[in-house]
Each structure stands twice: as C-alpha cells, then as structure tokens.
Amino acid sequence: MTDDFMGPPWQADWTKAAEDNRAGLPAAARTLVDAARTELVTAPDPYFRGIDIDRDLPAGMSVEPVQSTRPAGAHVLYFDYGRGWLWYYFTPRTTDPQIVIDQCVWQ
C-alpha cells in the first residue's frame, strides 16, 4: 500500500439543482460562490476538523457540520457573512476523493 493519498485541490461536483441556483445568481454573488468553492477545494481537510481550524478562511466565511452528531456527514460553508451557503459532503476515497455540493444559496 502506498502513502499517495490524493490531496487538495479536491475534485468538486455540483448537483443539478445547486448548479442551476448558482447560474441564476447575479454576477457579484457568483463571484462570492466561486471564492467559497475555491476555499473548499483547496482546504487540507474539507470538513475543517479541529478547534478553530476554519480561522484561516477569509472574513465572512465559516464551516460547520449540518448535524453535530455526524461530524463526518454533510457540512455547510457559509460565505458573505451568512448571506449565502454551500451545503456539501466529502467522500474521502483513496483513488478519487470528491466534494459534492448539494445546495447553493445566496440571499
């Protein structure tokens, strides 16, 4: 077995609904979504585990699990000081780790 676990940048895929929501946003909001996605796919750990691990995120961004009882389940990346969010989950497979963005919302 090798220690060649794939790391960032992670692959990211959007559900159809999330991509449609992103496409329908104003240009300025899409720029914010793209910045949030970039932070997500370049993070060493997309689940931001640990104490204050998301402190390196830009101002206005934070991450939390959808359910505190499922720390390895779906997470939410908030951006634009909570006006928008990406609901996602991460599949840490050895050969093809992937982030799936399930929701994209900005209000």
Side-chain angles (χ1 to χ4, degrees):
M1 179 149 211
T2 67
D3 293 328
D4 295 334
F5 182 73
M6 296 177 70
W10 307 105
Q11 294 184 50
D13 194 14
W14 299 73
T15 63
K16 176 86 168 101
E19 181 59 31
D20 289 347
N21 287 346
R22 183 198 169 279
L25 295 175
R30 280 195 310 272
T31 300
L32 293 169
V33 169
D34 292 344
R37 180 195 171 278
T38 298
E39 291 295 329
L40 184 58
V41 300
T42 59
D45 179 358
Y47 279 151
F48 296 88
R49 293 179 187 97
I51 299 171
D52 295 333
I53 197 83
D54 63 352
R55 71 180 178 275
D56 293 330
L57 287 172
M61 287 189 193
S62 64
V63 175
E64 65 183 37
V66 172
Q67 292 179 311
S68 61
T69 57
R70 298 191 66 206
H75 276 57
V76 179
L77 171 64
Y78 295 101
F79 60 92
D80 196 17
Y81 297 94
R83 285 189 69 194
W85 60 88
L86 300 177
W87 183 315
Y88 70 94
Y89 59 92
F90 177 61
T91 306
R93 299 179 292 233
T94 302
T95 57
D96 187 25
Q98 183 178 27
I99 294 169
V100 176
I101 299 170
D102 200 32
Q103 289 183 18
C104 173
V105 177
W106 183 80
Q107 50 190 349

